[in-house]
Amino acid sequence: MRSCLIAAGLSLVAAQSGFAPGAQAQVSAETLAAISTPDSVETRLGPLAFTDGAPSADTATAVYDHLDFTYAFRAFTDTYKGVSVRAVLEGFRDAGVKDGEILIFSKLMDAKSLFLTANADTVYYLAFVDLSDGPVVVETPPDALGTFDDAWFRWVSDFGRPGPDRGAGGKYLLVGPGYDGFLPEDGFYLSKSRTNMVVILGRSFLTDDDPAPTVKVIKDNLKIYPYAPGGIGMSIARFLEGGVQLGRDAEPVTPVFHEGTGLAINTIPPSGYGFYEMLDRLVQSEPATVLDPELMGPIAAIGIRKGQDFAPDARMKGILEEAVKVANATGRTLGMWPRDPDWSYYEGSHWWNPLFAGGYNFETPLPEITKDGAKPYPPSGYKQNDARTSFFYMATGITPAMAMRLTGVGSQYLFSSLDANGDFYDGSKTYKVVLPKDIPAGAFWSFTLYDNQTRSMLQTPQNYPRAGSQGYPSPEAEAAEDGSTTIWFGPDQPEGVGRGNWIQTDPEKGWVVILRLYSPLASFFDKSWQPSEIEPVTN
């Protein structure tokens, strides 16, 4: 009876749908055409040939070459940030700075050092810490502005003014992947890294325009040493539960300091085939699972895999050499000629910053700060890959302190690579920019010029290509009677312009510039204060 009812029901459905039992349904010709592939297809790869949908040998070769090219391209643009960290690490080692030792710029960084868009305003102190043998304690100095990033330039934790110690200094316990030992209940700021190698990026402000007192504070307080389980931070009650021994705290160790001022050092990744060789060294140095599998996929597809030799054949090496040219051109274009209007900080302006559109994670806009506290935006659900490539091609390090709307904390940056007319800056010409009065920087502000090629400080006889409100290492910029400040950029010091208001350029080099505002104020975030565009000056 049940089967009869089902059969009757199916017959009724068939009748209502216009199909007789046993009839064979067919999709329309239009549908078949939409899902089929023609015998010949014109593409940017050239003509592609198929026989009833099956690719010809030439088509298959062209498609696979293009696929490998795409993977190689993505291995550059999507993961440049990791290779950038590796370049810094190898630059340190080449300069004799070992892991756990500090490179400190006691008279500030100058143009001899090649660092992506570093500044000449703060005392830098940088180091690499290896967590593969267990957690490490880093005691940070007071009044710092610093961050810990992992080997793929992912943020681990801030320290200093934007960090949990709020500028008082503190003990940070850095824990690497795979560590399953005891961790203290208290006494440390616990920071877990997804990689074994962690880079310490510290900056501290001058003291009354003098770096010497600041350097002393750093050297007196900065300590790096292995963590000793069972010491301060573990209660006796926890010991009585078993599984862990009581112990003593490790003795704090003052690290070896190396002088960085005047040091000729390169920390920038190669722009050619050597990029992939450096990427391979990075992949081999860390556990296989520290990077998102989606990002690791293109890297593995071109032959860079944990525990395996990177040995591309002649065909693949040729593709890599071609892909890196296009990928490098892409990073350079995104870093110097942005097309996304959301990156412009002011409407119609050439002052821009990709961080405001997607934050330090390049995903969701920065939270708004209201009288009731922070008001986060809902997750966007996607990564802003162009912003990520642009930022890391031009800059070193990442932290929320670079991308927050909170007044008086961290620092804010405005990039400019194009003048008021939309042209790139010419080192043989003179330009000027006007900063209206009440520049919104609670601590200080500065301009720094960078070489187009190296994205590092422009090398000229000035050595420190900067101008700003500090009186070191170059004179303080002077304001006009109306409170505005004009800064000039050109190969020769303009007549009647003070040294502190002029940054020298090289007639043979192009340049880009960053305006930094340390401890930014409300008028920056509400955009009631705005610098002029940088205008060429007619001689």
Side-chain angles (χ1 to χ4, degrees):
M1 175 65 72
R2 177 179 175 83
S3 59
C4 292
L5 290 173
I6 292 174
L10 291 174
S11 297
L12 178 61
V13 170
Q16 291 174 340
S17 62
F19 290 102
Q24 187 175 17
Q26 292 186 350
V27 299
S28 67
E30 290 80 4
T31 298
L32 286 174
I35 66 172
S36 298
T37 300
D39 291 345
S40 180
V41 180
E42 292 295 331
T43 73
R44 65 172 54 196
L45 306 182
L48 303 180
F50 300 86
T51 301
D52 193 25
S56 69
D58 288 344
T59 292
T61 297
V63 166
Y64 278 125
D65 284 352
H66 177 68
L67 185 61
D68 290 337
F69 179 94
T70 301
Y71 288 142
F73 177 88
R74 289 190 55 196
F76 185 102
T77 58
D78 290 355
T79 64
Y80 190 91
K81 60 180 185 174
V83 180
S84 184
V85 180
R86 184 71 193 186
V88 178
L89 174 64
E90 294 188 7
F92 276 38
R93 290 176 176 175
D94 289 344
V97 182
K98 300 176 183 178
D99 298 347
E101 298 179 346
I102 303 292
L103 182 63
I104 187 168
F105 293 81
S106 60
K107 294 184 179 179
L108 308 189
M109 190 182 298
D110 59 28
K112 293 183 179 65
S113 297
L114 299 184
F115 275 85
L116 292 176
T117 52
N119 69 64
D121 304 300
T122 61
V123 177
Y124 276 109
Y125 41 104
L126 308 98
F128 284 88
V129 177
D130 187 353
L131 307 179
S132 59
D133 291 330
V136 170
V137 178
V138 179
E139 295 187 13
T140 62
D143 296 323
L145 184 63
T147 187
F148 302 109
D149 285 343
D150 76 6
W152 284 95
F153 252 149
R154 293 172 298 198
W155 177 70
V156 176
S157 174
D158 286 327
F159 65 86
R161 295 168 186 253
D165 67 271
R166 302 290 180 87
K171 291 184 178 180
Y172 286 80
L173 182 59
L174 303 179
V175 181
Y179 178 76
D180 59 1
F182 171 80
L183 291 174
E185 302 164 17
D186 202 356
F188 300 89
Y189 299 115
L190 181 62
S191 301
K192 293 186 177 181
S193 169
R194 287 176 281 181
T195 63
N196 285 318
M197 195 65 70
V198 172
V199 58
I200 303 172
L201 300 165
R203 294 171 291 163
S204 290
F205 297 165
L206 306 186
T207 304
D208 297 325
D209 285 343
D210 185 357
T214 301
V215 170
K216 185 177 187 308
V217 170
I218 295 168
K219 290 186 173 181
D220 287 348
N221 289 276
L222 184 59
K223 316 289 183 187
I224 302 175
Y225 52 95
Y227 167 66
I232 296 297
M234 186 182 78
S235 66
I236 300 300
R238 173 64 186 85
F239 164 70
L240 295 175
E241 292 176 5
V244 64
Q245 296 296 317
L246 286 174
R248 294 177 176 271
D249 280 352
E251 191 70 26
V253 177
T254 299
V256 173
F257 286 89
H258 297 262
E259 181 54 58
T261 302
L263 178 66
I265 181 175
N266 176 48
T267 67
I268 301 170
S271 296
Y273 177 78
F275 176 91
Y276 297 111
E277 295 176 315
M278 187 172 284
L279 174 59
D280 177 62
R281 294 194 292 273
L282 170 60
V283 169
Q284 302 306 329
S285 69
E286 292 288 345
T289 57
V290 300
L291 193 65
D292 186 314
E294 286 287 339
L295 291 176
M296 192 62 81
I299 298 173
I302 62 173
I304 297 176
R305 302 177 184 181
K306 176 72 175 179
Q308 299 183 21
D309 290 337
F310 176 49
D313 58 20
R315 168 190 163 275
M316 178 60 80
K317 187 172 182 180
I319 289 173
L320 294 173
E321 290 174 340
E322 182 67 21
V324 75
K325 294 176 184 177
V326 179
N328 181 67
T330 301
R332 188 165 286 278
T333 300
L334 288 170
M336 298 178 64
W337 200 352
R339 67 176 179 177
D340 190 338
D342 290 340
W343 296 8
S344 295
Y345 192 60
Y346 308 99
E347 186 175 356
S349 171
H350 293 301
W351 289 109
W352 59 280
N353 186 328
L355 294 180
F356 276 88
Y360 76 99
N361 275 329
F362 306 97
E363 293 179 8
T364 303
L366 304 181
E368 296 287 348
I369 305 300
T370 71
K371 63 180 180 180
D372 299 320
K375 182 182 178 183
Y377 285 92
S380 66
Y382 59 87
K383 185 76 73 174
Q384 297 188 25
N385 291 338
D386 285 356
R388 180 180 63 192
T389 299
S390 172
F391 181 84
F392 284 108
Y393 191 83
M394 302 296 290
T396 300
I398 191 66
T399 163
M402 292 178 172
M404 60 175 66
R405 304 183 198 273
L406 196 60
T407 59
V409 177
S411 50
Q412 291 297 335
Y413 308 85
L414 291 177
F415 295 78
S416 179
S417 51
L418 301 171
D419 68 16
N421 299 323
D423 298 321
F424 288 113
Y425 296 113
D426 182 339
S428 67
K429 297 180 179 179
T430 299
Y431 302 81
K432 70 175 182 178
V433 62
V434 178
L435 304 181
K437 67 177 182 178
D438 300 326
I439 300 171
F444 61 93
W445 62 269
S446 73
F447 284 104
T448 309
L449 258 57
Y450 301 97
D451 183 318
N452 279 354
Q453 288 284 8
T454 66
R455 293 95 74 202
S456 302
M457 281 188 271
L458 184 68
Q459 295 187 2
T460 69
Q462 282 186 342
N463 202 30
Y464 295 96
R466 52 83 62 188
S469 58
Q470 294 188 149
Y472 183 96
S474 56
E476 178 183 355
E478 299 176 2
E481 291 184 3
D482 63 359
S484 66
T485 303
T486 300
I487 302 297
W488 300 73
F489 314 93
D492 301 306
Q493 186 171 347
E495 185 177 351
V497 174
R499 168 63 183 82
N501 293 65
W502 167 61
I503 306 178
Q504 189 174 26
T505 61
D506 181 341
E508 302 298 323
K509 302 292 296 183
W511 52 271
V512 297
V513 65
I514 295 179
L515 170 60
R516 287 178 169 87
L517 303 171
Y518 289 89
S519 301
L521 304 179
S523 60
F524 173 76
F525 295 110
D526 66 22
K527 303 183 183 180
S528 59
W529 181 90
Q530 178 177 346
S532 75
E533 299 298 292
I534 300 180
E535 299 180 350
V537 178
T538 303
N539 294 326

